[in-house]
């Protein structure tokens, strides 16, 4: 950075140097100098002006998850910055590389409770991988460079940077180039002895199963996972965060596990004698009751974050390392040891996997069942098409029934379960992949939490395909009340069938209402082929449930509901 | 698994907010800090924090791993058999000569030092492992303790092997 340059310019220049050409943000007093510089650098960097700061963070997440690059969002001090918090927390839970900038009052006023001052360092402390407050303009380049490194390397995660206003207008006098971080050196290369032990355990196992989590996507290890699965013939199940990391049309794919996972995936988890888990953290939505989870199976747990190994489920063999490198070394080790396929197990699982698809029962009803929307979109998906979701029943239907073929195409709020995530995430994903179709599956409840982003979509001419599962209910909570609370429906009826087509039109976008199954395929196609975003408002059966469902904290074998009629000994 | 006391020593960047990051992580994850001490080291820009906590072995493992994830922490080690010390200041009522004499005797046994004296009280400084301090407090309790200040544990490994 040259001397005489001001802080704001140094920030923009460093972002560009790190390869960022788009940010998601909303201005305010404390970041006026920063946004001013966008006018001078419009050929290098562009800001997507959102309509609420929370959506800046979610859009940056969508961008990061679709592209694999760092997503950057910006908000002003005080309420602007606190509005980012939900998105930062979401990124923290789902290990998304995100850099969030928040404006701050001038350094001289920090601690005085000045206008729009808030302790964002304190607020973001437990929800970031690390955070920085820039107190000296000479540190701008070094801190932002460190932030990129921290966000991306090892287990990815969000970084918050506090930007006092005076720092943005002060001149750089002596740029500091220090970018070394003493306390940060993730173990990327797995230990060879551990790899060899893992291979031995796999040789000895009779019914091995691969559980792939979000870490496989984060480390771009899909190719290596496919190699391992195909070489060994070991079936693959994924977590929701891992969805799309392994082609779900592949015969070895058994789909997603957990509370609303496919029965075959949970069944395989119950049957296996050796689970090879990669880049997942065994959340309660995956395991159900921890004591009975993998009760009779051994576990090889591969993760770049050693703290995840043994945190929830005890591992028989920990392997710390990057998923991509670990998987490729594992293939080599197994080849050297003359791997023999576990034929019977593989065949059993693949046959049951197919059966699981075929015996889905649908009750006859007047209205459309959510599953029908998902299977319809499944037919229309082209390679690389992306689906984002909100949070709730529609999300679980999407997770359960969608068959995603390539990584980074299923973008959903996992650990945080943030309603309203879908629309802004779709904006980010579309900005990252302008040539792919981006669908946003949303519920009527979830959609209304960030609905103002329709204007962001219009003003930036983004073309996405929002499909609303409209049942006038807060569907997932209603389902819980029906199943676990004697149908005492408290605060779940959203009432009055909102007309999302009219809302879309108010934002100068298009919309189409679907009330019959027969209208569905055409409506979705129409939205895909439209010039501008067309909201597909699908009126669905009000009280349909997401099944199967594992009751919270229950034993995996308790997963109830339709999907597969007693395959094998599984009841 | 059985719970016991663990002492964890860590080297950290000497930056604002480091103590908050560490104590915040403990609180958030439900680990109970027994004592925490911090001070500068011989290396510029590096401080040492020593934490004692009670927990089983798996708690200790998680604590170490979680501390290691903090970017400002450069090194973490468990001090199983190191040199462990704590300093305690203790102010005791001394209504008569008999009590004073007794305190002199105890102080000799415990190698405690008198650091302040007035007509009605005496303040002693005692250094040692926490158990020694606790036993001293137990001895003088009957005389009426006015105030106690304990630093918490600090620790260092023995010899140069572990450095």
């Amino acid at each position: 950075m040259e001397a005489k340059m001001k802080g704001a310019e140094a920030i923009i220049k460093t972002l560009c140097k790190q390869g960022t050409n788009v940010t998601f943000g909303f201005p305010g007093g404390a970041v006026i100098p920063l946004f001013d510089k966008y006018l001078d650098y419009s050929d290098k960097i562009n800001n997507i002006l959102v309509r609420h700061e929370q959506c800046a963070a979610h859009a940056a997440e969508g961008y990061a998850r679709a592209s694999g690059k760092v997503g950057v969002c910006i908000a002003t001090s005080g309420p602007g910055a606190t509005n980012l918090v939900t998105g930062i927390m979401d990124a923290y839970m789902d290990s998304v590389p995100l850099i969030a900038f928040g404006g701050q009052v001038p350094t001289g006023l920090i601690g005085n409770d000045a206008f729009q001052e808030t302790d964002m360092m304190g607020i973001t402390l437990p929800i970031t991988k690390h955070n920085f407050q820039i107190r000296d303009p000479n540190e701008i380049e070094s801190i932002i460079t460190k932030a990129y490194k921290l966000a991306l390397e090892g287990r990815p995660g969000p970084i918050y940077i506090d930007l006092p206003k005076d720092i943005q207008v002060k001149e750089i006098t002596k740029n500091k180039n220090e970018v070394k971080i003493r306390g940060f050196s993730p173990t990327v290369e797995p230990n060879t002895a551990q790899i060899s032990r893992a291979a031995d355990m796999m040789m000895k196992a009779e019914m091995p199963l691969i559980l792939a989590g979000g870490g496989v996507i984060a480390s771009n290890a899909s190719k290596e996972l496919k190699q391992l699965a195909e070489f060994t013939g070991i079936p693959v199940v994924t977590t929701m965060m891992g969805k799309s990391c392994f082609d779900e049309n592949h015969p070895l794919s058994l789909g997603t596990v957990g509370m609303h996972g496919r029965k075959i995936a949970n069944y395989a988890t119950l049957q296996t004698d050796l689970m090879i888990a990669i880049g997942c953290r065994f959340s309660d939505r995956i395991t159900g009751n921890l004591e009975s989870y993998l009760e009779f199976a051994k576990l090889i747990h591969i993760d770049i974050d050693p703290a995840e190994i043994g945190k929830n489920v005890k591992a028989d063999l920990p392997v710390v390392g990057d998923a991509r490198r670990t998987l490729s070394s594992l293939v080599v080790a197994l080849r050297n040891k003359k791997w023999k396929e576990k034929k019977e197990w593989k065949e059993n699982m693949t046959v049951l996997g197919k059966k699981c698809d075929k015996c889905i029962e649908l009750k006859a009803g007047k209205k459309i069942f959510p599953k029908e929307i998902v299977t319809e979109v499944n037919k229309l998906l082209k390679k690389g098409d992306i689906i984002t979701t909100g949070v709730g029943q529609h999300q679980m239907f999407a997770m359960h029934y969608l068959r995603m073929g390539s990584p980074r195409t299923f973008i959903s709020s996992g650990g945080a379960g943030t309603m309203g995530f879908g629309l802004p995430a779709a904006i980010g994903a579309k900005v990252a992949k302008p040539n792919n179709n981006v669908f946003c599956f949303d519920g009527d409840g979830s959609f209304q939490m960030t609905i103002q982003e329709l204007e962001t979509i219009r003003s930036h001419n983004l073309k996405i395909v929002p499909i609303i599962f409209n049942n006038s209910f807060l569907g997932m909570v209603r389902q819980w009340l029906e199943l676990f609370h004697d149908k005492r429906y408290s605060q779940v009826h959203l009432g009055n069938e909102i007309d999302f087509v009219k809302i879309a039109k108010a934002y100068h976008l298009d919309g189409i209402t679907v009330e019959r199954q027969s209208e569905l395929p055409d409506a979705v196609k129409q939205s895909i082929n439209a010039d501008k975003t067309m909201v597909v408002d699908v009126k669905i059966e009000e009280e349909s449930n997401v099944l199967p469902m594992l009751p919270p904290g229950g034993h995996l074998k308790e997963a109830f509901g339709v999907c597969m009629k007693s395959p094998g000994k599984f009841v | 698994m059985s719970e016991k006391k663990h002492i964890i020593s860590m080297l950290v960047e000497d930056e604002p907010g480091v103590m908050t990051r560490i104590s915040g992580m403990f609180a958030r994850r439900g680990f109970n800090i027994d004592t925490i001490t911090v001070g500068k080291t011989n290396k510029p820009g590096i401080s040492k924090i020593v934490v004692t906590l009670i927990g089983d072995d798996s708690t200790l493992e998680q604590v170490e791993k979680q501390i290691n994830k903090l970017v400002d922490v450069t090194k973490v080690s468990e001090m199983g058999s190191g040199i462990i010390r704590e300093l305690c200041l203790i102010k005791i009522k001394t209504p008569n000569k008999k009590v004073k004499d007794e305190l002199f005797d105890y102080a000799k046994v415990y190698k405690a030092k008198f650091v302040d004296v007035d007509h009605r009280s005496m303040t002693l400084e005692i250094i040692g492992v926490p158990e020694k301090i606790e036993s001293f407090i137990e001895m003088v309790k009957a005389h009426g303790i006015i105030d106690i200040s304990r630093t918490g544990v600090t620790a260092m490994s023995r010899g140069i092997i572990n450095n």
Side-chain angles (χ1 to χ4, degrees), chain A residues 38 47 52 151 160 167 173 177 194-195 216 231 245 279-280 305 322 331 357 379 385 415 436-437 524 530 541 565:
Chain A
Y38 277 78
N47 182 63
H52 186 290
Y160 173 78
I167 298 304
T173 49
N177 286 322
Q194 296 298 87
I195 292 288
V216 176
F231 174 70
C245 80
C280 71
D305 179 0
D322 169 66
V331 174
D357 267 347
K379 288 183 219 158
D385 282 359
N436 295 97
N437 287 325
V524 177
E541 192 63 40
K565 288 173 194 160

PDB file of all heavy atoms in Angstrom, chain A residues 38 47 52 151 160 167 173 177 194-195 216 231 245 279-280 305 322 331 357 379 385 415 436-437 524 530 541 565:
ATOM      1  N   TYR A  38     -16.148   2.694  -3.606  1.00  0.00           N
ATOM      2  CA  TYR A  38     -16.690   1.808  -4.650  1.00  0.00           C
ATOM      3  C   TYR A  38     -16.885   2.584  -5.960  1.00  0.00           C
ATOM      4  O   TYR A  38     -16.812   2.018  -7.042  1.00  0.00           O
ATOM      5  CB  TYR A  38     -18.025   1.192  -4.202  1.00  0.00           C
ATOM      6  CG  TYR A  38     -17.859  -0.028  -3.331  1.00  0.00           C
ATOM      7  CD1 TYR A  38     -17.537   0.089  -1.981  1.00  0.00           C
ATOM      8  CD2 TYR A  38     -18.015  -1.312  -3.863  1.00  0.00           C
ATOM      9  CE1 TYR A  38     -17.386  -1.024  -1.179  1.00  0.00           C
ATOM     10  CE2 TYR A  38     -17.856  -2.444  -3.059  1.00  0.00           C
ATOM     11  CZ  TYR A  38     -17.553  -2.300  -1.722  1.00  0.00           C
ATOM     12  OH  TYR A  38     -17.399  -3.399  -0.937  1.00  0.00           O
ATOM     13  N   ASN A  47     -20.695  -3.796  -5.342  1.00  0.00           N
ATOM     14  CA  ASN A  47     -21.441  -4.166  -4.143  1.00  0.00           C
ATOM     15  C   ASN A  47     -22.877  -4.499  -4.517  1.00  0.00           C
ATOM     16  O   ASN A  47     -23.513  -3.765  -5.273  1.00  0.00           O
ATOM     17  CB  ASN A  47     -21.422  -3.043  -3.110  1.00  0.00           C
ATOM     18  CG  ASN A  47     -22.158  -3.439  -1.842  1.00  0.00           C
ATOM     19  OD1 ASN A  47     -21.751  -4.374  -1.154  1.00  0.00           O
ATOM     20  ND2 ASN A  47     -23.261  -2.772  -1.552  1.00  0.00           N
ATOM     21  N   HIS A  52     -31.591  -5.558   3.724  1.00  0.00           N
ATOM     22  CA  HIS A  52     -31.475  -5.771   5.163  1.00  0.00           C
ATOM     23  C   HIS A  52     -30.109  -6.434   5.383  1.00  0.00           C
ATOM     24  O   HIS A  52     -29.751  -7.344   4.644  1.00  0.00           O
ATOM     25  CB  HIS A  52     -32.596  -6.684   5.664  1.00  0.00           C
ATOM     26  CG  HIS A  52     -32.647  -6.841   7.164  1.00  0.00           C
ATOM     27  ND1 HIS A  52     -31.697  -7.540   7.865  1.00  0.00           N
ATOM     28  CD2 HIS A  52     -33.528  -6.384   8.081  1.00  0.00           C
ATOM     29  CE1 HIS A  52     -32.002  -7.496   9.159  1.00  0.00           C
ATOM     30  NE2 HIS A  52     -33.105  -6.787   9.310  1.00  0.00           N
ATOM     31  N   ALA A 151     -10.296 -17.413   7.309  1.00  0.00           N
ATOM     32  CA  ALA A 151     -11.639 -17.811   6.873  1.00  0.00           C
ATOM     33  C   ALA A 151     -11.587 -19.088   6.042  1.00  0.00           C
ATOM     34  O   ALA A 151     -12.452 -19.959   6.169  1.00  0.00           O
ATOM     35  CB  ALA A 151     -12.290 -16.682   6.077  1.00  0.00           C
ATOM     36  N   TYR A 160     -14.981 -11.622  11.718  1.00  0.00           N
ATOM     37  CA  TYR A 160     -15.595 -10.294  11.785  1.00  0.00           C
ATOM     38  C   TYR A 160     -14.477  -9.257  11.904  1.00  0.00           C
ATOM     39  O   TYR A 160     -13.510  -9.456  12.648  1.00  0.00           O
ATOM     40  CB  TYR A 160     -16.544 -10.187  12.991  1.00  0.00           C
ATOM     41  CG  TYR A 160     -17.045  -8.779  13.179  1.00  0.00           C
ATOM     42  CD1 TYR A 160     -18.067  -8.284  12.362  1.00  0.00           C
ATOM     43  CD2 TYR A 160     -16.482  -7.932  14.124  1.00  0.00           C
ATOM     44  CE1 TYR A 160     -18.501  -6.980  12.492  1.00  0.00           C
ATOM     45  CE2 TYR A 160     -16.911  -6.620  14.256  1.00  0.00           C
ATOM     46  CZ  TYR A 160     -17.925  -6.155  13.446  1.00  0.00           C
ATOM     47  OH  TYR A 160     -18.359  -4.855  13.560  1.00  0.00           O
ATOM     48  N   ILE A 167     -10.492   5.302  10.967  1.00  0.00           N
ATOM     49  CA  ILE A 167      -9.478   4.481  10.300  1.00  0.00           C
ATOM     50  C   ILE A 167      -9.654   4.533   8.785  1.00  0.00           C
ATOM     51  O   ILE A 167      -8.705   4.456   8.021  1.00  0.00           O
ATOM     52  CB  ILE A 167      -9.596   3.005  10.786  1.00  0.00           C
ATOM     53  CG1 ILE A 167      -9.349   2.909  12.280  1.00  0.00           C
ATOM     54  CG2 ILE A 167      -8.673   2.063  10.032  1.00  0.00           C
ATOM     55  CD1 ILE A 167      -8.036   3.480  12.715  1.00  0.00           C
ATOM     56  N   THR A 173       0.574   5.549   6.630  1.00  0.00           N
ATOM     57  CA  THR A 173       1.891   6.158   6.700  1.00  0.00           C
ATOM     58  C   THR A 173       2.998   5.116   6.538  1.00  0.00           C
ATOM     59  O   THR A 173       3.994   5.324   5.863  1.00  0.00           O
ATOM     60  CB  THR A 173       2.083   6.905   8.035  1.00  0.00           C
ATOM     61  OG1 THR A 173       1.680   6.024   9.085  1.00  0.00           O
ATOM     62  CG2 THR A 173       1.237   8.167   8.070  1.00  0.00           C
ATOM     63  N   ASN A 177       3.291  -5.228   6.713  1.00  0.00           N
ATOM     64  CA  ASN A 177       3.020  -6.381   5.859  1.00  0.00           C
ATOM     65  C   ASN A 177       2.965  -7.697   6.598  1.00  0.00           C
ATOM     66  O   ASN A 177       2.926  -8.763   5.987  1.00  0.00           O
ATOM     67  CB  ASN A 177       4.073  -6.481   4.750  1.00  0.00           C
ATOM     68  CG  ASN A 177       3.841  -5.416   3.703  1.00  0.00           C
ATOM     69  OD1 ASN A 177       2.696  -5.117   3.376  1.00  0.00           O
ATOM     70  ND2 ASN A 177       4.911  -4.823   3.215  1.00  0.00           N
ATOM     71  N   GLN A 194      -1.919 -43.422  10.888  1.00  0.00           N
ATOM     72  CA  GLN A 194      -3.375 -43.444  11.092  1.00  0.00           C
ATOM     73  C   GLN A 194      -4.094 -43.922   9.825  1.00  0.00           C
ATOM     74  O   GLN A 194      -5.075 -44.658   9.898  1.00  0.00           O
ATOM     75  CB  GLN A 194      -3.893 -42.051  11.491  1.00  0.00           C
ATOM     76  CG  GLN A 194      -3.373 -41.527  12.813  1.00  0.00           C
ATOM     77  CD  GLN A 194      -3.772 -42.382  13.990  1.00  0.00           C
ATOM     78  OE1 GLN A 194      -3.072 -43.341  14.310  1.00  0.00           O
ATOM     79  NE2 GLN A 194      -4.884 -42.054  14.623  1.00  0.00           N
ATOM     80  N   ILE A 195      -3.583 -43.502   8.690  1.00  0.00           N
ATOM     81  CA  ILE A 195      -4.180 -43.924   7.414  1.00  0.00           C
ATOM     82  C   ILE A 195      -4.068 -45.445   7.278  1.00  0.00           C
ATOM     83  O   ILE A 195      -5.026 -46.134   6.900  1.00  0.00           O
ATOM     84  CB  ILE A 195      -3.473 -43.226   6.230  1.00  0.00           C
ATOM     85  CG1 ILE A 195      -3.759 -41.732   6.243  1.00  0.00           C
ATOM     86  CG2 ILE A 195      -3.876 -43.849   4.896  1.00  0.00           C
ATOM     87  CD1 ILE A 195      -5.155 -41.335   5.852  1.00  0.00           C
ATOM     88  N   VAL A 216     -16.470 -32.506   3.289  1.00  0.00           N
ATOM     89  CA  VAL A 216     -16.091 -33.037   1.974  1.00  0.00           C
ATOM     90  C   VAL A 216     -16.279 -31.950   0.916  1.00  0.00           C
ATOM     91  O   VAL A 216     -15.463 -31.802   0.005  1.00  0.00           O
ATOM     92  CB  VAL A 216     -16.927 -34.294   1.634  1.00  0.00           C
ATOM     93  CG1 VAL A 216     -16.615 -34.794   0.235  1.00  0.00           C
ATOM     94  CG2 VAL A 216     -16.665 -35.390   2.659  1.00  0.00           C
ATOM     95  N   PHE A 231     -13.908 -47.537  -5.712  1.00  0.00           N
ATOM     96  CA  PHE A 231     -12.847 -48.534  -5.565  1.00  0.00           C
ATOM     97  C   PHE A 231     -13.223 -49.596  -4.527  1.00  0.00           C
ATOM     98  O   PHE A 231     -12.999 -50.790  -4.724  1.00  0.00           O
ATOM     99  CB  PHE A 231     -11.528 -47.845  -5.172  1.00  0.00           C
ATOM    100  CG  PHE A 231     -10.420 -48.815  -4.863  1.00  0.00           C
ATOM    101  CD1 PHE A 231      -9.839 -49.568  -5.880  1.00  0.00           C
ATOM    102  CD2 PHE A 231      -9.974 -49.004  -3.557  1.00  0.00           C
ATOM    103  CE1 PHE A 231      -8.832 -50.483  -5.597  1.00  0.00           C
ATOM    104  CE2 PHE A 231      -8.978 -49.914  -3.269  1.00  0.00           C
ATOM    105  CZ  PHE A 231      -8.401 -50.654  -4.290  1.00  0.00           C
ATOM    106  N   CYS A 245     -22.283 -33.684  -2.120  1.00  0.00           N
ATOM    107  CA  CYS A 245     -20.847 -33.976  -2.236  1.00  0.00           C
ATOM    108  C   CYS A 245     -20.629 -35.290  -2.970  1.00  0.00           C
ATOM    109  O   CYS A 245     -19.560 -35.549  -3.498  1.00  0.00           O
ATOM    110  CB  CYS A 245     -20.169 -34.000  -0.866  1.00  0.00           C
ATOM    111  SG  CYS A 245     -20.399 -35.530   0.055  1.00  0.00           S
ATOM    112  N   GLY A 279     -15.470 -35.279   7.779  1.00  0.00           N
ATOM    113  CA  GLY A 279     -15.889 -33.876   7.822  1.00  0.00           C
ATOM    114  C   GLY A 279     -17.300 -33.665   8.316  1.00  0.00           C
ATOM    115  O   GLY A 279     -18.072 -32.935   7.707  1.00  0.00           O
ATOM    116  N   CYS A 280     -17.659 -34.325   9.399  1.00  0.00           N
ATOM    117  CA  CYS A 280     -18.974 -34.069   9.976  1.00  0.00           C
ATOM    118  C   CYS A 280     -18.828 -33.998  11.495  1.00  0.00           C
ATOM    119  O   CYS A 280     -17.854 -34.476  12.053  1.00  0.00           O
ATOM    120  CB  CYS A 280     -19.970 -35.142   9.570  1.00  0.00           C
ATOM    121  SG  CYS A 280     -19.656 -36.708  10.345  1.00  0.00           S
ATOM    122  N   ASP A 305     -10.639 -30.497  11.923  1.00  0.00           N
ATOM    123  CA  ASP A 305     -10.730 -29.864  13.235  1.00  0.00           C
ATOM    124  C   ASP A 305     -10.671 -30.945  14.317  1.00  0.00           C
ATOM    125  O   ASP A 305     -11.663 -31.648  14.536  1.00  0.00           O
ATOM    126  CB  ASP A 305     -12.044 -29.081  13.326  1.00  0.00           C
ATOM    127  CG  ASP A 305     -12.215 -28.411  14.687  1.00  0.00           C
ATOM    128  OD1 ASP A 305     -11.313 -28.566  15.536  1.00  0.00           O
ATOM    129  OD2 ASP A 305     -13.240 -27.743  14.891  1.00  0.00           O
ATOM    130  N   ASP A 322      -7.016 -32.852   6.147  1.00  0.00           N
ATOM    131  CA  ASP A 322      -7.907 -32.363   5.104  1.00  0.00           C
ATOM    132  C   ASP A 322      -8.585 -33.561   4.441  1.00  0.00           C
ATOM    133  O   ASP A 322      -7.950 -34.578   4.159  1.00  0.00           O
ATOM    134  CB  ASP A 322      -7.053 -31.587   4.103  1.00  0.00           C
ATOM    135  CG  ASP A 322      -7.805 -31.252   2.839  1.00  0.00           C
ATOM    136  OD1 ASP A 322      -8.750 -30.466   2.941  1.00  0.00           O
ATOM    137  OD2 ASP A 322      -7.457 -31.781   1.774  1.00  0.00           O
ATOM    138  N   VAL A 331      -7.260 -44.338  -0.396  1.00  0.00           N
ATOM    139  CA  VAL A 331      -7.403 -45.183  -1.588  1.00  0.00           C
ATOM    140  C   VAL A 331      -6.080 -45.895  -1.885  1.00  0.00           C
ATOM    141  O   VAL A 331      -6.051 -47.104  -2.142  1.00  0.00           O
ATOM    142  CB  VAL A 331      -7.857 -44.347  -2.816  1.00  0.00           C
ATOM    143  CG1 VAL A 331      -7.848 -45.199  -4.077  1.00  0.00           C
ATOM    144  CG2 VAL A 331      -9.238 -43.776  -2.580  1.00  0.00           C
ATOM    145  N   ASP A 357     -36.854 -45.888  -2.678  1.00  0.00           N
ATOM    146  CA  ASP A 357     -37.435 -44.891  -3.557  1.00  0.00           C
ATOM    147  C   ASP A 357     -38.825 -45.276  -4.025  1.00  0.00           C
ATOM    148  O   ASP A 357     -39.678 -44.438  -4.243  1.00  0.00           O
ATOM    149  CB  ASP A 357     -36.563 -44.743  -4.806  1.00  0.00           C
ATOM    150  CG  ASP A 357     -35.566 -43.634  -4.611  1.00  0.00           C
ATOM    151  OD1 ASP A 357     -35.731 -42.866  -3.649  1.00  0.00           O
ATOM    152  OD2 ASP A 357     -34.618 -43.557  -5.397  1.00  0.00           O
ATOM    153  N   LYS A 379     -36.726 -33.554 -11.877  1.00  0.00           N
ATOM    154  CA  LYS A 379     -36.736 -33.906 -13.297  1.00  0.00           C
ATOM    155  C   LYS A 379     -36.162 -32.784 -14.146  1.00  0.00           C
ATOM    156  O   LYS A 379     -35.662 -33.016 -15.239  1.00  0.00           O
ATOM    157  CB  LYS A 379     -38.179 -34.169 -13.758  1.00  0.00           C
ATOM    158  CG  LYS A 379     -38.770 -35.464 -13.229  1.00  0.00           C
ATOM    159  CD  LYS A 379     -40.172 -35.643 -13.831  1.00  0.00           C
ATOM    160  CE  LYS A 379     -41.129 -36.210 -12.788  1.00  0.00           C
ATOM    161  NZ  LYS A 379     -42.529 -35.915 -13.107  1.00  0.00           N
ATOM    162  N   ASP A 385     -27.041 -26.923 -11.598  1.00  0.00           N
ATOM    163  CA  ASP A 385     -28.128 -26.114 -11.053  1.00  0.00           C
ATOM    164  C   ASP A 385     -28.085 -26.158  -9.520  1.00  0.00           C
ATOM    165  O   ASP A 385     -27.775 -27.187  -8.928  1.00  0.00           O
ATOM    166  CB  ASP A 385     -29.491 -26.640 -11.539  1.00  0.00           C
ATOM    167  CG  ASP A 385     -29.778 -26.206 -12.970  1.00  0.00           C
ATOM    168  OD1 ASP A 385     -28.933 -25.489 -13.541  1.00  0.00           O
ATOM    169  OD2 ASP A 385     -30.827 -26.594 -13.509  1.00  0.00           O
ATOM    170  N   GLY A 415     -26.686 -26.094  10.717  1.00  0.00           N
ATOM    171  CA  GLY A 415     -26.545 -26.030  12.167  1.00  0.00           C
ATOM    172  C   GLY A 415     -27.418 -24.976  12.813  1.00  0.00           C
ATOM    173  O   GLY A 415     -27.953 -25.168  13.898  1.00  0.00           O
ATOM    174  N   ASN A 436     -25.921 -20.697 -14.104  1.00  0.00           N
ATOM    175  CA  ASN A 436     -26.699 -21.851 -13.654  1.00  0.00           C
ATOM    176  C   ASN A 436     -28.064 -21.403 -13.141  1.00  0.00           C
ATOM    177  O   ASN A 436     -28.205 -20.294 -12.634  1.00  0.00           O
ATOM    178  CB  ASN A 436     -25.955 -22.592 -12.535  1.00  0.00           C
ATOM    179  CG  ASN A 436     -24.652 -23.199 -13.023  1.00  0.00           C
ATOM    180  OD1 ASN A 436     -23.602 -22.611 -12.854  1.00  0.00           O
ATOM    181  ND2 ASN A 436     -24.739 -24.334 -13.673  1.00  0.00           N
ATOM    182  N   ASN A 437     -29.033 -22.294 -13.264  1.00  0.00           N
ATOM    183  CA  ASN A 437     -30.320 -22.003 -12.638  1.00  0.00           C
ATOM    184  C   ASN A 437     -30.165 -22.074 -11.133  1.00  0.00           C
ATOM    185  O   ASN A 437     -29.530 -22.995 -10.614  1.00  0.00           O
ATOM    186  CB  ASN A 437     -31.368 -23.030 -13.058  1.00  0.00           C
ATOM    187  CG  ASN A 437     -31.807 -22.822 -14.500  1.00  0.00           C
ATOM    188  OD1 ASN A 437     -31.878 -21.686 -14.979  1.00  0.00           O
ATOM    189  ND2 ASN A 437     -32.091 -23.915 -15.182  1.00  0.00           N
ATOM    190  N   VAL A 524     -43.359 -24.396 -13.127  1.00  0.00           N
ATOM    191  CA  VAL A 524     -41.923 -24.390 -12.801  1.00  0.00           C
ATOM    192  C   VAL A 524     -41.116 -24.097 -14.062  1.00  0.00           C
ATOM    193  O   VAL A 524     -40.185 -23.277 -14.044  1.00  0.00           O
ATOM    194  CB  VAL A 524     -41.490 -25.727 -12.153  1.00  0.00           C
ATOM    195  CG1 VAL A 524     -39.995 -25.736 -11.896  1.00  0.00           C
ATOM    196  CG2 VAL A 524     -42.247 -25.965 -10.854  1.00  0.00           C
ATOM    197  N   ALA A 530     -38.405 -17.817 -17.698  1.00  0.00           N
ATOM    198  CA  ALA A 530     -38.787 -16.401 -17.692  1.00  0.00           C
ATOM    199  C   ALA A 530     -37.564 -15.497 -17.777  1.00  0.00           C
ATOM    200  O   ALA A 530     -36.446 -15.901 -17.445  1.00  0.00           O
ATOM    201  CB  ALA A 530     -39.577 -16.095 -16.422  1.00  0.00           C
ATOM    202  N   GLU A 541     -50.911 -28.948   0.473  1.00  0.00           N
ATOM    203  CA  GLU A 541     -51.719 -29.549   1.527  1.00  0.00           C
ATOM    204  C   GLU A 541     -51.288 -28.955   2.871  1.00  0.00           C
ATOM    205  O   GLU A 541     -50.108 -28.991   3.221  1.00  0.00           O
ATOM    206  CB  GLU A 541     -51.474 -31.072   1.491  1.00  0.00           C
ATOM    207  CG  GLU A 541     -52.413 -31.910   2.306  1.00  0.00           C
ATOM    208  CD  GLU A 541     -53.852 -31.831   1.838  1.00  0.00           C
ATOM    209  OE1 GLU A 541     -54.089 -31.809   0.615  1.00  0.00           O
ATOM    210  OE2 GLU A 541     -54.734 -31.770   2.712  1.00  0.00           O
ATOM    211  N   LYS A 565     -41.168 -50.048   3.215  1.00  0.00           N
ATOM    212  CA  LYS A 565     -41.896 -51.051   3.975  1.00  0.00           C
ATOM    213  C   LYS A 565     -40.927 -52.114   4.442  1.00  0.00           C
ATOM    214  O   LYS A 565     -40.391 -52.856   3.636  1.00  0.00           O
ATOM    215  CB  LYS A 565     -42.981 -51.688   3.107  1.00  0.00           C
ATOM    216  CG  LYS A 565     -44.153 -50.779   2.817  1.00  0.00           C
ATOM    217  CD  LYS A 565     -45.064 -51.460   1.800  1.00  0.00           C
ATOM    218  CE  LYS A 565     -46.051 -50.485   1.230  1.00  0.00           C
ATOM    219  NZ  LYS A 565     -46.593 -50.968  -0.040  1.00  0.00           N
TER     220      LYS A 565
END
